[in-house]
Amino acid sequence: MKLNQSQIQEALLCGQALVFEEIDSTNAFLLNHYQELEQGSVCLAESQTSGRGRRGRTWYSPQSENVYFSILWHYPKEEVEQVSSLSLVVALIIAESLQAQGVKDIQIKWPNDVYFQGKKMGGILIETKVDKNGVHLVIGIGLNLGMTKVDEKIVNQAWADLSAYHFDRNALVCRLAYELQKNLKIYPLVGFAHYVERWQSFDIFHGQAVKLVTEGQEIHGISQGINEQGELLLKQGNEINAFGIGEMSLRPNTQTEN
């Protein structure tokens, strides 16, 4: 079933729903039009020709029953500091929304990948524009709902989809849009501490040996979840150290820890 712009519009608390058959990138569209679009506006497409992922990667976006979804939001300058943990909140909203729809075995990989049965099923990319009025966020979400195959030159990790659940994409998008707008409104008031315990319940690597891979090094430890700033906690020897969200990737560590 095709995405229905009018149905999605009715679910929004604010902003405009925009649905395209094909687009280069839903994130790019909102970034290019952030000054004229209302807060809360959402952009969706049946397919993307230049879908974007974290760390400069391509997000595989075939014409299929997946969801390619971006939302525009503004925060004033005094609230900019809280934005760093927002991707964790978005991942949690997705996980809880899918769980409420009956999907079992949903996990989150810090900071913002959504997993199903131990394989990546969705991702989040937050891009920003900053001006005198504050920070303008474009939050991009990609969810594999019905993907039968992938381009292995683009997708180089284990992946999953939710085809077994036969989702009504319009109903799911309406729920996600509503929950995201509601939480984006209250986030500056409650802070990330409001979400920590709920986030931990979906943490795929809690208590496991992991490694943080950066451009120049690997950081090894035992994952202890996250703190109230959204930082990853790693037990390294007798110490627990915190690591902020940045240009790094969290992976399982198959080496034996001493």
Side-chain angles (χ1 to χ4, degrees):
M1 182 180 293
K2 293 285 189 181
L3 294 168
N4 185 314
Q5 184 169 297
S6 59
Q7 183 179 345
I8 296 166
Q9 181 68 57
E10 290 179 8
L12 299 183
L13 296 172
C14 55
Q16 180 181 357
L18 299 154
V19 175
F20 297 90
E21 183 68 24
E22 182 179 272
I23 200 171
D24 55 351
S25 159
T26 57
N27 261 33
F29 179 87
L30 292 183
L31 284 169
N32 289 335
H33 298 279
Y34 79 94
Q35 290 178 310
E36 61 258 34
L37 288 172
E38 296 176 62
Q39 169 159 292
S41 291
V42 298
C43 178
L44 298 102
E46 295 290 353
S47 67
Q48 298 181 115
T49 57
S50 301
R52 308 208 294 233
R54 283 187 73 226
R55 305 174 73 198
R57 296 191 180 106
T58 298
W59 186 265
Y60 184 59
S61 310
Q63 179 86 28
S64 67
E65 294 298 302
N66 295 337
V67 165
Y68 315 119
F69 173 107
S70 297
I71 183 169
L72 177 68
W73 204 262
H74 312 295
Y75 286 123
K77 287 182 178 178
E78 58 269 22
E79 295 171 358
V80 169
E81 288 185 7
Q82 298 189 61
V83 169
S84 62
S85 301
L86 198 55
S87 62
L88 285 80
V89 177
V90 175
L92 173 64
I93 298 307
I94 295 169
E96 289 184 334
S97 296
L98 291 171
Q99 189 178 70
Q101 296 291 306
V103 182
K104 298 178 180 178
D105 209 9
I106 288 287
Q107 304 104 10
I108 300 171
K109 184 181 78 121
W110 182 90
N112 55 7
D113 285 337
V114 182
Y115 274 52
F116 173 62
Q117 296 180 345
K119 298 177 181 178
K120 185 171 178 176
M121 182 274 299
I124 298 155
L125 175 65
I126 298 182
E127 299 181 277
T128 61
K129 295 272 191 180
V130 180
D131 61 21
K132 62 183 180 180
N133 298 315
V135 60
H136 309 273
L137 301 171
V138 172
I139 302 166
I141 297 168
L143 301 176
N144 300 336
L145 297 188
M147 193 157 67
T148 56
K149 62 180 182 179
V150 300
D151 183 341
E152 294 182 358
K153 290 179 286 196
I154 299 174
V155 181
N156 56 11
Q157 61 180 299
W159 60 275
D161 74 349
L162 299 179
S163 54
Y165 289 88
H166 304 289
F167 271 109
D168 177 333
R169 285 188 304 156
N170 287 300
L172 179 60
V173 165
C174 287
R175 183 186 184 98
L176 277 176
Y178 174 81
E179 291 295 335
L180 284 168
Q181 289 189 341
K182 182 176 71 174
N183 282 277
L184 288 166
K185 280 177 179 287
I186 69 169
Y187 181 62
L189 304 175
V190 299
F192 185 67
H194 177 74
Y195 300 93
V196 172
E197 188 174 339
R198 287 154 58 191
W199 192 98
Q200 306 268 31
S201 69
F202 290 98
D203 185 0
I204 192 171
F205 286 144
H206 193 275
Q208 296 184 32
V210 296
K211 58 185 177 184
L212 277 174
V213 181
T214 68
E215 289 266 338
Q217 64 175 329
E218 290 186 1
I219 303 166
H220 295 232
I222 305 296
S223 176
Q224 305 295 299
I226 56 175
N227 61 19
E228 292 191 352
Q229 288 72 50
E231 298 170 322
L232 178 70
L233 300 176
L234 289 187
K235 185 177 182 182
Q236 299 175 294
N238 295 322
E239 296 182 349
I240 294 180
N241 297 308
F243 296 87
I245 298 171
E247 292 299 307
M248 59 182 72
S249 178
L250 180 64
R251 301 175 187 171
N253 186 6
T254 55
Q255 298 177 7
T256 303
E257 295 288 319
N258 293 325

